[in-house]
Amino acid sequence: MLAVLGGCSTFSQANASHQKIVQARQLTQRGVQAMHRDDWENAEKLLAEAKKNAPYDLQARMHYAETLWKTGKQAEAIAELESAQTLGSDDPDLHARIGRMYLDSGDPTKAHISANRSIECDPKFAPAWQLQGDLALVRRDLESAKLCYIRAATNSEATNRDVQLRLASTYRQLGQPSQALACISIVRQAEFGHRLPADVGVEQALAYRDLGRHLDAADCLAELAETNEMTADLLYTWAECEVAAGRLARAEYAANSALQVNPQHASALQLVGQLPVFRQQAQQSMRR
């Protein structure tokens, strides 16, 4: 009789444990859905409950750490992932996530260790290579950053816009604007039909400028200025491109726009002062 009762007790405990796991998965799913809606506070509550029901569920804990990070609890988020490492020491996603948090919190040394661990777990894990690329940029090692971003792009299942834009910027800084435009083209094809995003448009304009395609660069920056707040430096770059394209009236407008953002912008002030000379030179050229 005691053996039967003992067996029933064991079955009851196993059933209760199974129900908690199922409930935890449901809570995790709801938490992830809340994350996709940018409802971070609700996501944090749901995932905290999921973690409570299934403390050994690595996915629940990684998502929970992300909500802590998004709600300003950076130290708690890092501690959560450090604790979770005992559950998934061979999970590349876990190491890449904590590495990203280390980097964003100003600890590139720990971030580098985590990125290496992630790559050891899966040599083709794209987020780890992206993290290595970002770390290389911190060191100003553009060539290494380029190679890491290429690895990340190659191993991504779909177009990774962040990687492609970082790669475009790196190519441009290396003096390879044609390759930068190729990366931007990949992003634009993936986002076909959407309005030109500001980050994509800026990289495209700067690549055009570096190729000497000043008219294309000016048109791109003019399009961005219609729908986005732009820095004084970018507005000045627009003015420079307009001058190079021979459109002095538009150059004056762009330079004055830069001065509206920053009345002390030295380069914009200088350009405005030079415009009468540019106009005189243009008129003399037309008379010849």
Side-chain angles (χ1 to χ4, degrees):
M1 185 68 171
L2 290 174
V4 172
L5 291 174
C8 289
S9 176
T10 301
F11 174 79
S12 177
Q13 290 174 359
N15 187 49
S17 178
H18 175 71
Q19 288 178 345
K20 281 193 171 184
I21 292 172
V22 171
Q23 187 177 13
R25 289 175 179 170
Q26 292 172 343
L27 288 165
T28 299
Q29 185 177 21
R30 290 170 57 197
V32 171
Q33 290 171 348
M35 290 166 65
H36 290 162
R37 298 192 304 269
D38 290 332
D39 185 0
W40 294 103
E41 290 187 7
N42 190 37
E44 181 185 346
K45 293 176 183 177
L46 290 165
L47 290 162
E49 190 66 24
K51 173 193 168 184
K52 180 179 177 182
N53 285 347
Y56 301 106
D57 187 323
L58 185 58
Q59 291 299 315
R61 296 188 66 166
M62 285 197 292
H63 289 310
Y64 176 55
E66 186 175 352
T67 65
L68 291 173
W69 184 271
K70 288 289 188 178
T71 52
K73 306 178 183 74
Q74 282 82 6
E76 291 180 42
I78 290 174
E80 179 65 30
L81 289 187
E82 287 176 339
S83 174
Q85 284 181 321
T86 61
L87 305 176
S89 59
D90 60 347
D91 189 295
D93 190 19
L94 173 60
H95 293 302
R97 286 183 188 228
I98 194 171
R100 174 62 59 189
M101 289 184 182
Y102 283 141
L103 177 58
D104 290 347
S105 61
D107 195 339
T109 301
K110 285 186 176 180
H112 182 68
I113 293 171
S114 294
N116 284 339
R117 286 178 179 171
S118 181
I119 291 170
E120 288 172 4
C121 295
D122 182 357
K124 294 184 177 182
F125 193 60
W129 285 110
Q130 180 177 344
L131 177 58
Q132 287 284 37
D134 292 348
L135 285 163
L137 284 186
V138 170
R139 303 190 303 270
R140 299 302 302 164
D141 185 350
L142 294 175
E143 191 63 36
S144 293
K146 179 189 77 173
L147 295 175
C148 290
Y149 290 142
I150 290 173
R151 293 286 293 270
T154 301
N155 292 307
S156 296
E157 293 182 2
T159 298
N160 187 322
R161 77 184 311 274
D162 290 340
V163 169
Q164 291 293 345
L165 287 178
R166 283 175 168 83
L167 184 54
S169 177
T170 304
Y171 271 131
R172 183 173 52 77
Q173 292 177 73
L174 284 167
Q176 300 171 329
S178 294
Q179 289 88 334
L181 275 181
C183 295
I184 295 164
S185 177
I186 291 172
V187 176
R188 297 212 62 179
Q189 288 174 9
E191 299 179 349
F192 179 77
H194 294 274
R195 177 180 292 176
L196 180 65
D199 53 356
V200 178
V202 168
E203 280 301 327
Q204 181 171 286
L206 294 177
Y208 282 148
R209 179 201 63 184
D210 292 352
L211 281 168
R213 295 170 56 178
H214 297 106
L215 184 61
D216 289 330
D219 286 344
C220 188
L221 290 169
E223 180 182 350
L224 290 175
E226 289 179 0
T227 54
N228 299 275
E229 290 187 8
M230 295 176 65
T231 65
D233 285 342
L234 266 180
L235 290 165
Y236 169 71
T237 298
W238 174 23
E240 273 192 314
C241 292
E242 293 288 8
V243 169
R247 302 190 302 195
L248 299 183
R250 291 169 65 105
E252 183 175 16
Y253 174 81
N256 284 328
S257 297
L259 292 173
Q260 287 179 2
V261 175
N262 178 9
Q264 305 303 319
H265 196 281
S267 297
L269 285 168
Q270 184 179 10
L271 191 150
V272 169
Q274 292 173 330
L275 280 172
V277 177
F278 295 151
R279 288 194 175 96
Q280 185 177 12
Q281 291 173 344
Q283 290 172 355
Q284 291 173 350
S285 179
M286 290 175 65
R287 293 195 190 108
R288 293 173 186 168

